[in-house]
Amino acid sequence: LGRDDDIAAVAGLLRTSRVTSIVGTGGLGKTRLAHAVSGQAEQRVVHFVELAGVAADGDVAAEVASALGVGEESGNPAGGRSVPPGGPAAIVTALSPGPALLVLDNCEHVVPGTADLVHGLVSLSRDLRVLTTSRAPLGLSSESVYLLPELDLPTTTELFDQRARAAPGWW
């Protein structure tokens, strides 16, 4: 609701930038926007990885690798090649050949770890695009930042009304 222009803007950034970050304060709808954009992505392969549960910068790559099934005994996407389990090369291999979009959600508490991983990933694959959501940008030279604005008052009121009507006990 009220985010059509934002969806178009972020989709445009993804076409021209290797890394796009949706940045804004908590509760603005960064995750919803990322889902909407990834649902319309030009890339045929899209992976959405939630980083909210990652405790430390050093665990970001392992979380992404785990979400993609990298290093699992059955069907190791690396195809038996010698790549470090969970490393950027294994993750790029798991993303499949050809254009892919990797969405990393809720990066704010692990920005340095996310930035290191994303830098490694985009340096290994020219076909990969990365979309992140965070309260702060990654600080990469390949990154375009989209500062998500607050909704205007009429849209906020409509959203509140829709949510209230959907809640149990609404008369």
Side-chain angles (χ1 to χ4, degrees), residues 56-154:
D57 289 314
D59 297 334
V60 172
E63 181 67 23
V64 173
S66 175
L68 297 176
V70 173
E72 294 177 0
E73 294 275 336
S74 60
N76 181 350
R81 293 191 310 212
S82 178
V83 294
I91 292 170
V92 165
T93 301
L95 290 169
S96 92
L101 173 63
L102 176 62
V103 182
L104 302 175
D105 188 35
N106 291 313
C107 302
E108 52 270 349
H109 60 293
V110 285
V111 168
T114 303
D116 288 345
L117 176 63
V118 170
H119 180 265
L121 294 175
V122 298
S123 68
L124 292 171
S125 173
R126 63 181 168 78
D127 291 329
L128 176 63
R129 294 287 190 263
V130 179
L131 176 62
T132 70
T133 70
S134 182
R135 294 182 185 181
L138 301 179
L140 299 173
S141 60
S142 57
E143 177 185 30
S144 290
V145 176
Y146 185 76
L147 184 57
L148 186 61
E150 293 181 3
L151 293 170
D152 60 27
L153 186 57

